Every structure is written in structure tokens, then in C-alpha cells.
Amino acid sequence: MGRFLIKEEVEALRRSGQILGEVLKKIRSLIVPGVRASSIDQVAEKEIRRLGARPAFLGYRGYPASVCVSLNDEVVHGIPRDQVVKEGDLVSIDLGVEFDGFYTDAAFSVVVGNGNALARRLVEVTREALYAGIKKAIPGNRIGDISHAIQMVAERNGFSVVRDLVGHGIGRALHEEPQVPNFGKKGQGTLLEKGMVLAIEPMVNEKGYRVKVLKDGWTIVTEDGGLSAHFEHTILVTDGAPEILTSWERG
Ligand code: MF3
Ligand code: CO
């Protein structure tokens, strides 16, 4: 985290999050059997630019696309190519936006069509873990309170949280201090203060928490081939309830 944000900067951050939310909603409507990952990416890039923003992932450390599309045992950072989405796939979408120098980051998972009950439950539990973490993002709490809340939701449902990848501070850059792990102890880590901006992003695995990187250098998959789901929001710590800057699922 850098210095505190002034009002105009918070407005730019809010706009960044609104644009991201709008594009995620559009992407959600595209996820039907037969859609190609590359066409999701094309639409995402076009929509972001149409709304006056820039895709934050494109070119980030050489990443070649605007969106990450991760299927089934892919945890995160799947590169959209010619993969075709099928009925029953667990699809995770991750997107970052930069507007006027301010970054937001958000992700969701969905099971295409009916899928199986386990995949649907993994998605619901991961969403619940995200919101349990967000609830703890209040002044006076510490990062560990967020981490612990996320881990509890995942593990009491028999799932595991990925250790090797974490949430993060965000705002003037895509990744800032502090790290926001999805596992940890209450009362530990950085003290939360009003004005902090955090990307909270549980990655929850059906079986073991271990992951590995594919040969493309980006795609992270579960080591045991189990399913994985991912939800993320960028939030602003306020005096009261956290403000979800990238909200889009309701309304
Ligand atoms: N949302 C991802 C994260 O915070 C960022 C993806 S980086 C990219 O970890 F290079 F893959 F785009
Ligand atoms: Co992130």
C-alpha cells in the first residue's frame, strides 16, 4: 500500500471497478457450451477499451491476453486459446482493469449447464469463502482475520485452500503490499486501516491444496487433478462495511 487515496483517486478506483464489473457481467452471459476461450478474451478486451479503460493483465510480465480462463483442474492463469467450453465444465474467469492509473481485479467461477453436484458445491463454497473474508476487512482487524475466515469456510466443507498463490493489495499497481493469504491465524499480519484497497481471492481445491505450473509457464493446475474454483473482489476498507468495488453479481 502506498500513501492514502484522495477523493478523486477513490472515484477513479470506483470507476475502474464498475467497468470491471460490467465486463464480467457481459462475460458471464457468454459462457455457454461451445464458446471458445479466445472469443471470451476478444470480447473482454473490446468492452474494456470501449468503456475507456485498459486490460491490466495484457502484457503484465508478458501475459499474452486480457483475461484468464481456467477450466476444471486449472486453478488460475489459464491462457485463453482455442479451448471450447463444454456442458459440465467448471470455468473460472479472472479479469483486471486499469482506469486512469487505478487497478481493480476480480474473478468468478461457474459450472456450465447442470454439471455435477460436487462441482456446483465447490463453486458455492468458494464464493461463500470470499464473502466470509470480505466481512473481516474492517479497521482494527488484521490480514490474518480475513485469511482465517476464508480457510474455515473451505475446510469445514471438506475442501482445501491453495497456499502458493495469495490475494494482494492493489490500487496504483495490480499487485501491492500486503499479501492476503487464504489460510492463516486470527489476529496475525498487517493491521487493516480505512483507505486500504485489497484484492481478496480464495482459490479452493476439491482435493489437495498442492498445485503446479504447466509448461506454458502460466497455467496453474491442481497436482492431483481435482477441480478448483476461484472468486475475487477488489474491496476498499471503510469505517463501516467494506466497499466491494468490483461488485456485479446482483442487479
Ligand atoms: N488476478 C491475478 C492475480 O492477482 C493476476 C493475473 S496476472 C496475469 O494473481 F498475468 F495472469 F494476468
Ligand atoms: Co488478484
Side-chain angles (χ1 to χ4, degrees), residues 12-13 15-17 19-20 48-49 51-57 95-105 170-174:
L13 196 57
R15 183 65 192 137
S16 176
I19 292 169
L20 175 42
I48 290 168
R49 296 200 194 278
L51 294 165
R54 192 180 67 79
F57 295 175
L95 185 64
V97 160
E98 181 248 316
F99 174 80
D100 212 6
F102 288 88
Y103 289 79
T104 50
D105 189 1
I170 185 169
R172 293 187 186 82
L174 182 59

Coordinates of all heavy atoms in Angstrom, one line a residue, residues 12-13 15-17 19-20 48-49 51-57 95-105 170-174:
A12 N -11.7 7.4 -9.2 CA -11.1 6.7 -10.3 C -11.1 5.2 -10.1 O -11.4 4.3 -10.9 CB -9.7 7.2 -10.6
L13 N -10.8 4.8 -8.8 CA -10.8 3.4 -8.4 C -12.2 2.8 -8.5 O -12.4 1.7 -9.0 CB -10.3 3.3 -7.0 CG -9.8 2.0 -6.4 CD1 -8.7 1.4 -7.2 CD2 -9.3 2.3 -5.0
R15 N -14.6 3.8 -10.5 CA -14.9 3.7 -11.9 C -14.2 2.5 -12.5 O -14.8 1.7 -13.3 CB -14.5 5.0 -12.7 CG -14.9 5.0 -14.1 CD -16.4 5.0 -14.4 NE -16.7 4.7 -15.8 CZ -17.7 3.9 -16.2 NH1 -18.4 3.3 -15.3 NH2 -17.9 3.7 -17.5
S16 N -13.0 2.3 -12.1 CA -12.2 1.1 -12.6 C -13.0 -0.2 -12.2 O -13.2 -1.1 -13.0 CB -10.8 1.1 -11.9 OG -10.1 -0.1 -12.2
G17 N -13.5 -0.2 -11.0 CA -14.2 -1.4 -10.5 C -15.5 -1.6 -11.2 O -16.0 -2.7 -11.5
I19 N -16.3 -0.6 -14.3 CA -16.0 -1.1 -15.6 C -15.7 -2.6 -15.6 O -16.3 -3.4 -16.3 CB -14.8 -0.3 -16.2 CG1 -15.3 1.2 -16.5 CG2 -14.4 -1.0 -17.5 CD1 -14.1 2.1 -16.9
L20 N -14.9 -3.0 -14.6 CA -14.6 -4.4 -14.5 C -15.9 -5.2 -14.2 O -16.1 -6.3 -14.9 CB -13.6 -4.6 -13.4 CG -13.2 -6.0 -12.9 CD1 -12.9 -6.9 -14.1 CD2 -11.9 -5.9 -12.1
I48 N -13.6 -3.5 -22.5 CA -12.8 -2.7 -21.6 C -12.4 -1.4 -22.3 O -12.5 -0.3 -21.7 CB -11.6 -3.5 -21.1 CG1 -12.0 -4.6 -20.1 CG2 -10.6 -2.6 -20.4 CD1 -10.9 -5.6 -19.8
R49 N -11.9 -1.6 -23.5 CA -11.5 -0.4 -24.2 C -12.6 0.6 -24.6 O -12.5 1.8 -24.5 CB -10.7 -0.8 -25.5 CG -9.4 -1.6 -25.2 CD -8.4 -1.5 -26.3 NE -7.4 -2.5 -26.1 CZ -6.3 -2.3 -25.4 NH1 -6.1 -1.2 -24.8 NH2 -5.4 -3.3 -25.3
L51 N -15.2 1.1 -22.8 CA -15.5 1.8 -21.6 C -14.4 2.7 -21.2 O -14.5 3.3 -20.1 CB -15.9 0.8 -20.5 CG -17.2 0.0 -20.9 CD1 -17.3 -1.2 -20.0 CD2 -18.4 0.9 -20.7
G52 N -13.4 2.9 -22.0 CA -12.3 3.9 -21.7 C -11.3 3.4 -20.7 O -10.5 4.2 -20.2
A53 N -11.1 2.1 -20.6 CA -10.1 1.5 -19.7 C -9.1 0.7 -20.4 O -9.2 0.6 -21.7 CB -10.8 0.8 -18.5
R54 N -8.2 0.0 -19.7 CA -7.2 -0.8 -20.3 C -7.2 -2.1 -19.6 O -7.3 -2.2 -18.4 CB -5.8 -0.1 -20.1 CG -4.7 -0.6 -20.9 CD -3.4 0.2 -20.6 NE -2.9 0.0 -19.2 CZ -2.3 -1.1 -18.8 NH1 -2.0 -2.1 -19.7 NH2 -1.9 -1.2 -17.6
P55 N -7.0 -3.2 -20.4 CA -6.9 -4.6 -19.8 C -5.6 -4.7 -19.0 O -4.5 -4.6 -19.6 CB -6.9 -5.6 -20.9 CG -6.9 -4.8 -22.2 CD -6.8 -3.3 -21.9
A56 N -5.7 -4.8 -17.7 CA -4.5 -4.8 -16.8 C -3.6 -6.0 -17.0 O -2.4 -5.9 -16.7 CB -4.9 -4.6 -15.4
F57 N -4.1 -7.1 -17.4 CA -3.3 -8.3 -17.5 C -2.5 -8.4 -18.7 O -1.4 -9.0 -18.8 CB -4.2 -9.6 -17.4 CG -4.9 -9.8 -16.1 CD1 -5.8 -10.9 -16.0 CD2 -4.7 -9.0 -15.0 CE1 -6.5 -11.1 -14.8 CE2 -5.4 -9.2 -13.8 CZ -6.3 -10.3 -13.7
L95 N -10.2 -11.3 -14.3 CA -10.0 -10.1 -15.2 C -9.5 -8.9 -14.3 O -9.9 -8.7 -13.2 CB -11.4 -9.7 -15.7 CG -11.4 -8.6 -16.8 CD1 -10.7 -8.9 -18.0 CD2 -12.9 -8.3 -17.1
G96 N -8.6 -8.1 -14.9 CA -8.0 -6.9 -14.3 C -8.2 -5.7 -15.2 O -8.1 -5.8 -16.4
V97 N -8.5 -4.6 -14.6 CA -8.8 -3.3 -15.4 C -7.9 -2.2 -14.8 O -7.8 -2.1 -13.6 CB -10.3 -3.0 -15.3 CG1 -10.5 -1.5 -15.6 CG2 -11.1 -3.9 -16.2
E98 N -7.4 -1.4 -15.7 CA -6.8 -0.1 -15.2 C -7.5 1.0 -15.8 O -7.7 1.1 -17.0 CB -5.3 -0.1 -15.7 CG -4.6 1.2 -15.2 CD -4.2 2.1 -16.4 OE1 -3.8 1.6 -17.4 OE2 -4.4 3.3 -16.2
F99 N -8.0 1.9 -15.0 CA -8.7 3.1 -15.4 C -8.0 4.3 -14.8 O -7.9 4.4 -13.5 CB -10.2 3.1 -15.0 CG -10.9 4.4 -15.3 CD1 -11.3 4.7 -16.6 CD2 -11.1 5.3 -14.3 CE1 -11.9 5.9 -16.9 CE2 -11.8 6.5 -14.6 CZ -12.2 6.8 -15.9
D100 N -7.5 5.2 -15.6 CA -6.9 6.5 -15.1 C -5.8 6.2 -14.0 O -5.7 6.9 -13.0 CB -8.0 7.3 -14.5 CG -7.7 8.8 -14.6 OD1 -6.7 9.2 -15.3 OD2 -8.4 9.6 -14.1
G101 N -5.0 5.1 -14.2 CA -4.0 4.8 -13.3 C -4.4 3.9 -12.1 O -3.5 3.6 -11.3
F102 N -5.6 3.5 -12.0 CA -6.1 2.8 -10.9 C -6.6 1.4 -11.3 O -7.3 1.2 -12.2 CB -7.2 3.5 -10.1 CG -6.5 4.7 -9.4 CD1 -6.4 5.9 -10.0 CD2 -6.0 4.4 -8.1 CE1 -5.7 6.9 -9.3 CE2 -5.4 5.5 -7.4 CZ -5.2 6.7 -8.0
Y103 N -6.1 0.4 -10.5 CA -6.3 -1.0 -10.9 C -7.3 -1.7 -10.0 O -7.4 -1.4 -8.8 CB -5.0 -1.8 -10.7 CG -3.9 -1.4 -11.7 CD1 -3.2 -0.2 -11.6 CD2 -3.7 -2.3 -12.8 CE1 -2.2 0.1 -12.6 CE2 -2.7 -1.9 -13.8 CZ -2.0 -0.8 -13.6 OH -1.1 -0.5 -14.6
T104 N -8.2 -2.5 -10.6 CA -9.0 -3.4 -9.9 C -8.9 -4.8 -10.5 O -8.5 -5.0 -11.7 CB -10.5 -2.9 -9.9 OG1 -10.9 -2.7 -11.3 CG2 -10.7 -1.7 -9.1
D105 N -9.3 -5.8 -9.8 CA -9.1 -7.2 -10.1 C -10.3 -8.0 -9.6 O -10.6 -7.8 -8.4 CB -7.7 -7.6 -9.4 CG -7.2 -9.0 -9.8 OD1 -7.8 -9.6 -10.7 OD2 -6.1 -9.3 -9.3
I170 N -3.8 -3.6 -3.8 CA -4.0 -3.2 -5.2 C -4.3 -1.7 -5.2 O -4.7 -1.2 -4.1 CB -5.1 -4.1 -5.9 CG1 -5.2 -3.8 -7.4 CG2 -6.4 -4.0 -5.2 CD1 -6.1 -4.8 -8.1
G171 N -4.3 -1.1 -6.3 CA -4.7 0.3 -6.4 C -3.9 1.1 -7.5 O -4.3 1.1 -8.6
R172 N -2.7 1.5 -7.1 CA -1.8 2.2 -8.2 C -1.0 1.1 -9.0 O -0.4 1.5 -10.0 CB -0.9 3.2 -7.5 CG -1.6 4.3 -6.9 CD -0.6 5.4 -6.4 NE -1.4 6.4 -5.7 CZ -1.8 6.4 -4.5 NH1 -1.5 5.3 -3.7 NH2 -2.5 7.3 -3.9
A173 N -1.0 -0.1 -8.5 CA -0.4 -1.2 -9.3 C -1.3 -2.4 -9.1 O -2.1 -2.4 -8.2 CB 1.0 -1.5 -8.8
L174 N -1.2 -3.4 -10.0 CA -2.0 -4.6 -9.9 C -1.7 -5.4 -8.6 O -2.6 -5.9 -8.0 CB -1.7 -5.5 -11.2 CG -2.5 -6.7 -11.3 CD1 -4.0 -6.5 -11.4 CD2 -2.1 -7.5 -12.6

